[in-house]
Amino acid sequence: DGRKKTFSPLLRREDAALHETEDFLSRVYKGSLSLMVSSLTKKKALPKEEISELYAMLKKLVDYFSRVAEPTVILFFGDHQPSLGSPGYELMQRIGYVADNTTPEGILALQFTPYLIWNNFQTEPTAAQMDLSMFHLVPYMTRMLDLPRPAFHGYMDELFELTRGVTRKVSLDGDGIPVQSLQGEAKAKFDEYLTLVYDGLLGEQYANADLYE
């Protein structure tokens, strides 16, 4: 009949955000805000019982594979930090995790997550860590542990020499130094990498036989 209809939400945005935060804490951190904040900052000590629980889970896994004859690598990592929106940034700013989210260092601080590479066949069971993007993680692991590597990992080594990480707002150059954006050879190489990945997943897979076999 041409009349306009007006809709209004049943929940305020603030209430919905609070519910989602509480649900996230319950599912991922068992309702423990201290565990979440400690995971973000790595500065504030966890309660003794929570530390014991985390170590017990990790120890159970490592102990088992330490007794397995087959060479085994375990990679622990978090794919992203909790998405808490603007209030979450203010929280991290108050606890000293990040001082300014407008600098390259501040932007990266909001995106870093720890990782651990463990194996049962070398004298040193954990590989050295350095800051890098997720797309470098497996090639870096195979290089550090001297594992069999497809040609694609050699290609990623070349990219690693030019850029160790890329995010939407800031990148890491070949020395791991934050920069606002990639330039020159580094940008061209990363664009080439994106083309290879796109073709391998969604395109004609022209290079797959050479890169992955």
Side-chain angles (χ1 to χ4, degrees), residues 121-138:
F121 52 84
Q122 291 188 349
T123 303
E124 293 294 331
T126 57
Q129 293 193 27
M130 64 173 59
D131 296 335
L132 43 76
S133 274
M134 181 71 69
F135 56 79
H136 276 310
L137 193 50
V138 173

Side-chain angles (χ1 to χ4, degrees), residues 29-30 32 34-36 38-39 42-60:
Y29 293 100
K30 298 183 178 180
S32 172
S34 64
L35 178 58
M36 184 198 75
S38 297
S39 299
K42 294 182 287 186
K43 294 179 181 179
K44 180 180 177 181
L46 289 172
K48 183 177 180 180
E49 61 273 13
E50 292 182 347
I51 294 177
S52 299
E53 181 181 358
L54 291 172
Y55 272 107
M57 290 187 292
L58 178 58
K59 184 176 185 300
K60 183 177 180 180

Side-chain angles (χ1 to χ4, degrees), residues 40-41 81-82 84-85 87-99 109-110:
L40 292 175
T41 65
Q81 291 185 6
L84 302 178
Y89 166 70
E90 293 170 2
L91 168 65
M92 289 186 281
Q93 191 176 41
R94 288 201 301 272
I95 63 179
Y97 182 77
V98 58
L110 296 173

Side-chain angles (χ1 to χ4, degrees), residues 97-113:
Y97 182 77
V98 58
D100 185 355
N101 70 338
T102 63
T103 65
E105 293 78 10
I107 295 171
L108 285 175
L110 296 173
Q111 302 187 48
F112 277 130
T113 60

Side-chain angles (χ1 to χ4, degrees), residues 115-161:
Y115 67 91
L116 174 68
I117 302 171
W118 178 90
N119 72 88
N120 67 351
F121 52 84
Q122 291 188 349
T123 303
E124 293 294 331
T126 57
Q129 293 193 27
M130 64 173 59
D131 296 335
L132 43 76
S133 274
M134 181 71 69
F135 56 79
H136 276 310
L137 193 50
V138 173
Y140 173 74
M141 178 183 71
T142 59
R143 183 171 73 251
M144 293 297 298
L145 298 181
D146 195 26
L147 298 174
R149 313 180 77 214
F152 178 69
H153 287 191
Y155 174 85
M156 294 303 294
D157 291 345
E158 298 175 6
L159 179 63
F160 190 83
E161 292 298 316

